[in-house]
Amino acid sequence: MTISLDNQSVREASTHSVAAIELKGINKSFGPVHANKDIDLVVGKGSIHGIVGENGAGKSTLMSILYGFYTADTGDIIVDGKTVKIPDSKTAIEVGIGMVHQHFMLVDPFTVVENVMLGAEGGAMLSEGIARVRKELGRLADEYDMKIDLDAVVGELPVGLQQRVEILKALYRGADILILDEPTGVLTPAEADHLFRILRVLRDEGKTILLITHKLREIMDVTDQVSVMRRGEMVASRKTAETSMSELAELMVGRSVLLEVNKQPAQPKDALLKVANLNVKDDRGVMRVKNVSLEVKAGEILGIAGVSGNGQSELLKALSGITRAETGSMELVGNTIDLTKNHSSSDFRELGMSHVPEDRHRMGLVNAFSEYENSILGYHREQKYSNGMLLNVSGIREEAKERMEKYDIRPRDTELKAAKFSGGNQQKIVLAREIECDPDVLLIGQPTRGVDIGAIEYIHKRIIEMRDAGKAVLLVSVELDEIRSLADRILVMFDGNVVGERGPDATEQELGLLMAGVTDEAAE
């Protein structure tokens, strides 16, 4: 396939005669980084328009310009046929643009009503404001099928309902155009399906949706139109019905991308990780892992499937030494470990285990540290990184450069703070560190969360290579496609229990029933 920049197709691609948004010649630079280059975009009114691209392609920068977080260096923004200046998010809201962020902008101790009215109290008499918000939210919830308890404390709601609060908040403020940035990154498959039903209702009621996502299956399922960005440029726009996932992947990356995982059957040998009778409580004292036993053999990938919040996170934390178990033991490469005792992750690293945590921000990186410093976190005491009492900084930087090339971490700046990298590139920093240390056992949680299609292909390939090299891999993912593609055996967790084991040929429906707690015995 020949791929070329096609701004004319971008201008002409809208399936609707009236444009809700038109961007012309948008440019934005951050120092030497040209994040957006002469961007043209037309979004039809009453449509769902997807924007896809690799990490660092400029999608979030473009949406931040549209929502007033950044100001374009040059270019025009046209909303409903009128050229507008959007210096801040207040102005964006005034012209009818709302945004639902990937990381929700909610106050956890506040109720739904309090979060929605925050910043829009409507005067000194809060009681009048609350009554007005409550009435309007009730109308919006009925109209768009977004039922929710208005008096619920937001911090106690599941993430799917928290996202619903964000959407209602934008609608309450009069948004006719909604920007959603990676909206399904924290949702279960069922929650994602319900979100898409809501988006279709919003579209059918005349709202315009801009959907930023790296999940091509979602793009094909829910959008009317899709635009592709690559390295700061808008390279193509297509009617969704007239394109395919393979074409979009190639447009995103600039080369053919293998969407299916290519692997040979596993050749498992002796178990390198055995877990017996594991019980783990969370920070609030609730038992989250209940009498779990499992083993992972050399040369196999054991996948843990389940709806987020059913004990998978606590399982990984206990096995990696982050938290202490109530009961249970682990045999790691022949070493028996009492998991009820206090351990550290460094203890387990010395025995041949590496851990890619689910939450890279809290447990995988120090955002204030540079990339090269993050590249050795947890391994900084190793002899190859030190010259006596001091770190071998030049050697660490050189190794970091090599890993950045190997894992395509962008930008290629080892001095850049971790906080300055996109989410997908942050994930690749963690993966490079943990995989390149050549462990015998790899615990890996949500390996491709927030990662673009080209990087997903590479990460999956590296995980398969580790398996084929005789490593034992324990994989936790909420992406069923990922579990089914990579795992040689699948355990399903529900309410802290292992409720079933399946092979990689298990259907999505079969696994979905187990994830909902419908065991074989219950089905019979």
Side-chain angles (χ1 to χ4, degrees):
M1 181 188 296
T2 301
I3 299 174
S4 60
L5 303 185
D6 187 4
N7 278 342
Q8 186 64 30
S9 73
V10 173
R11 294 188 187 97
E12 296 176 351
S14 176
T15 59
H16 300 257
S17 58
V18 179
I21 300 169
E22 188 171 0
L23 304 180
K24 293 183 176 181
I26 297 294
N27 282 276
K28 181 64 178 177
S29 295
F30 299 94
V33 179
H34 199 167
N36 286 161
K37 306 173 186 176
D38 293 318
I39 297 292
D40 291 339
L41 176 68
V42 177
V43 180
K45 184 173 290 187
S47 69
I48 301 176
H49 193 116
I51 298 182
V52 297
E54 291 188 280
N55 300 121
K59 309 183 299 296
S60 294
T61 298
L62 188 64
M63 292 304 101
S64 294
I65 289 171
L66 186 56
Y67 194 59
F69 285 150
Y70 300 141
T71 301
D73 299 331
T74 61
D76 295 317
I77 301 173
I78 301 168
V79 178
D80 286 334
K82 298 178 182 179
T83 301
V84 297
K85 300 291 184 184
I86 306 180
D88 50 40
S89 58
K90 180 176 182 291
T91 306
I93 293 168
E94 289 172 354
V95 299
I97 300 172
M99 187 166 184
V100 178
H101 300 270
Q102 184 176 5
H103 302 290
F104 305 146
M105 303 293 185
L106 299 171
V107 181
D108 284 350
F110 282 14
T111 66
V112 172
V113 168
E114 291 166 342
N115 267 281
V116 170
M117 69 183 297
L118 189 63
E121 291 83 359
M125 298 299 291
L126 284 180
S127 59
E128 293 179 6
I130 290 172
R132 184 170 55 252
V133 172
R134 188 181 296 278
K135 181 179 179 180
E136 179 63 9
L137 284 181
R139 185 190 70 80
L140 291 170
D142 287 339
E143 183 174 354
Y144 298 115
D145 188 26
M146 288 191 281
K147 299 293 190 297
I148 194 168
D149 179 1
L150 300 181
D151 296 311
V153 175
V154 162
E156 297 175 0
L157 292 174
V159 289
L161 290 181
Q162 290 185 20
Q163 186 178 70
R164 201 172 298 181
V165 176
E166 286 277 33
I167 296 173
L168 285 169
K169 186 169 69 173
L171 294 175
Y172 175 77
R173 284 162 168 73
D176 289 314
I177 299 163
L178 269 178
I179 304 168
L180 290 94
D181 187 7
E182 297 288 355
T184 64
V186 294
L187 301 184
T188 68
E191 288 170 332
D193 289 342
H194 189 74
L195 170 66
F196 294 153
R197 288 195 292 273
I198 291 171
L199 296 186
R200 292 186 185 101
V201 170
L202 288 167
R203 176 196 60 192
D204 294 344
E205 292 287 334
K207 305 294 185 184
T208 301
I209 313 295
L210 269 166
L211 178 65
I212 316 303
T213 181
H214 68 281
K215 298 179 180 179
L216 295 182
R217 192 180 302 278
E218 295 177 356
I219 287 289
M220 300 303 296
D221 183 47
V222 77
T223 65
D224 305 301
Q225 182 92 14
V226 55
S227 296
V228 185
M229 295 187 69
R230 187 169 76 243
R231 299 192 179 184
E233 299 179 85
M234 192 68 74
V235 298
S237 194
R238 300 281 190 269
K239 295 177 182 178
T240 307
E242 297 175 0
T243 188
S244 64
M245 288 197 296
S246 58
E247 182 191 22
L248 293 176
E250 187 166 347
L251 286 165
M252 287 166 61
V253 180
R255 60 175 175 80
S256 295
V257 177
L258 184 65
L259 295 177
E260 300 293 330
V261 175
N262 185 15
K263 65 175 184 178
Q264 298 298 315
Q267 302 294 327
K269 298 181 175 62
D270 295 336
L272 294 180
L273 175 67
K274 296 180 181 179
V275 180
N277 305 317
L278 184 65
N279 287 274
V280 184
K281 290 182 178 178
D282 65 12
D283 296 337
R284 295 180 296 175
V286 178
M287 194 71 73
R288 293 296 187 184
V289 179
K290 302 173 183 177
N291 203 36
V292 167
S293 297
L294 59 84
E295 67 176 31
V296 192
K297 297 177 181 178
E300 78 164 350
I301 299 171
L302 176 65
I304 306 291
V307 175
S308 180
N310 276 273
Q312 308 96 309
S313 298
E314 289 77 14
L315 173 68
L316 285 180
K317 288 179 181 178
L319 297 185
S320 61
I322 294 173
T323 60
R324 185 178 61 83
E326 294 299 306
T327 68
S329 63
M330 173 173 72
E331 188 176 314
L332 175 61
V333 197
N335 298 279
T336 301
I337 300 165
D338 182 353
L339 293 175
T340 66
K341 306 296 183 183
N342 288 323
H343 300 282
S344 69
S345 296
S346 60
D347 295 335
F348 295 165
R349 285 192 201 101
E350 292 176 2
L351 297 176
M353 174 188 284
S354 284
H355 174 216
V356 176
E358 292 182 295
D359 189 335
R360 56 180 172 262
H361 292 128
R362 292 185 180 181
M363 293 186 287
L365 298 165
V366 177
N367 280 330
F369 283 12
S370 65
E371 191 282 335
Y372 82 84
E373 291 169 320
N374 275 283
S375 75
I376 63 164
L377 278 182
Y379 301 91
H380 50 280
R381 291 187 177 87
E382 290 189 5
Q383 187 173 356
K384 66 175 180 176
Y385 295 131
S386 64
N387 290 321
M389 296 291 291
L390 302 175
L391 288 175
N392 177 12
V393 175
S394 62
I396 295 168
R397 286 186 177 130
E398 190 60 36
E399 182 183 77
K401 286 180 183 177
E402 293 173 2
R403 290 181 179 178
M404 293 186 94
E405 288 290 336
K406 187 172 182 179
Y407 285 78
D408 193 24
I409 299 169
R410 304 178 197 169
R412 302 280 203 274
D413 183 356
T414 62
E415 302 291 333
L416 194 65
K417 303 299 184 187
K420 299 295 184 181
F421 287 90
S422 67
N425 282 297
Q426 290 174 342
Q427 183 76 350
K428 286 188 274 186
I429 293 170
V430 178
L431 283 159
R433 181 183 69 220
E434 301 302 328
I435 289 176
E436 290 301 310
C437 72
D438 194 32
D440 295 306
V441 175
L442 176 66
L443 307 180
I444 185 163
Q446 317 302 343
T448 57
R449 176 174 283 170
V451 176
D452 58 65
I453 192 74
I456 287 173
E457 178 192 32
Y458 181 78
I459 291 166
H460 285 175
K461 181 181 177 183
R462 291 292 290 128
I463 292 172
I464 295 297
E465 286 175 354
M466 292 196 72
R467 181 203 73 168
D468 293 345
K471 314 300 183 181
V473 181
L474 179 64
L475 168 71
V476 170
S477 177
V478 296
E479 303 287 350
L480 267 186
D481 285 346
E482 184 164 64
I483 288 283
R484 293 170 65 205
S485 296
L486 291 176
D488 303 301
R489 289 188 297 123
I490 302 170
L491 298 182
V492 181
M493 289 187 70
F494 173 77
D495 192 27
N497 297 287
V498 172
V499 293
E501 178 176 338
R502 293 292 185 271
D505 56 348
T507 66
E508 186 170 327
Q509 181 182 20
E510 186 179 3
L511 293 172
L513 285 171
L514 287 169
M515 290 165 64
V518 181
T519 62
D520 295 335
E521 294 79 6
E524 291 173 2

